[in-house]
């Protein structure tokens, strides 16, 4: 049985999230190079809360890259069909996704997630052992979009 945790719904509503991901903005760059730094920061935070550290997983990176590109192109935050995307990338078991827009740096995005109860709950999901992180830059919208996927 697949259990999926969703965070950030209230924050996304405030951010003007929509389920329509039709292209609106031009995506200028997509990268997963900050995933290692994110894993280090998230691991330290989790260990301080008595949880296991996380490592970077290439499948989770690809799933995060997919969604970062989609939300940057749309200029809006949306999880879309999260469950289908996890299936598409072969991600089973507990998983969660955090999205953010506008933070210029990965530590800024993580700080926002820590300050948001739903996002923070995902960061501290006991079942998480791996992460994937991607950022996408776009002309228009919030400029920089972040997607974090946590999984077993």
């Amino acid at each position: 049985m697949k259990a999926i945790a969703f965070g950030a719904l209230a924050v996304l509503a405030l951010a003007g999230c929509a389920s329509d991901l039709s292209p609106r903005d031009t995506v200028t760059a997509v990268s997963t190079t900050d995933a290692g730094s994110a894993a280090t920061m998230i691991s330290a935070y989790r260990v301080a809360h008595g949880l296991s550290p996380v490592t970077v997983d290439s499948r989770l990176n690809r799933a995060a890259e997919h969604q970062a590109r989609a939300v940057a192109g749309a200029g809006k935050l949306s999880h879309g069909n999260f469950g289908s995307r996890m299936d598409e990338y072969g991600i089973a078991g507990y998983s969660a996704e955090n999205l953010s827009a506008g933070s210029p740096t990965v530590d800024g995005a993580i700080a926002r997630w820590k300050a948001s109860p739903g996002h923070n709950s995902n960061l501290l999901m006991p079942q998480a052992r791996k992460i994937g992180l991607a950022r996408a830059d776009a002309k228009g919208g919030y400029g920089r979009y972040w997607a974090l996927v946590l999984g077993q």
Side-chain angles (χ1 to χ4, degrees), residues 119-131:
H119 291 99
N120 190 58
S121 178
N122 288 343
L123 291 175
L124 298 176
M125 182 175 70
Q127 298 86 354
R129 299 289 181 271
K130 302 173 186 175
I131 68 148

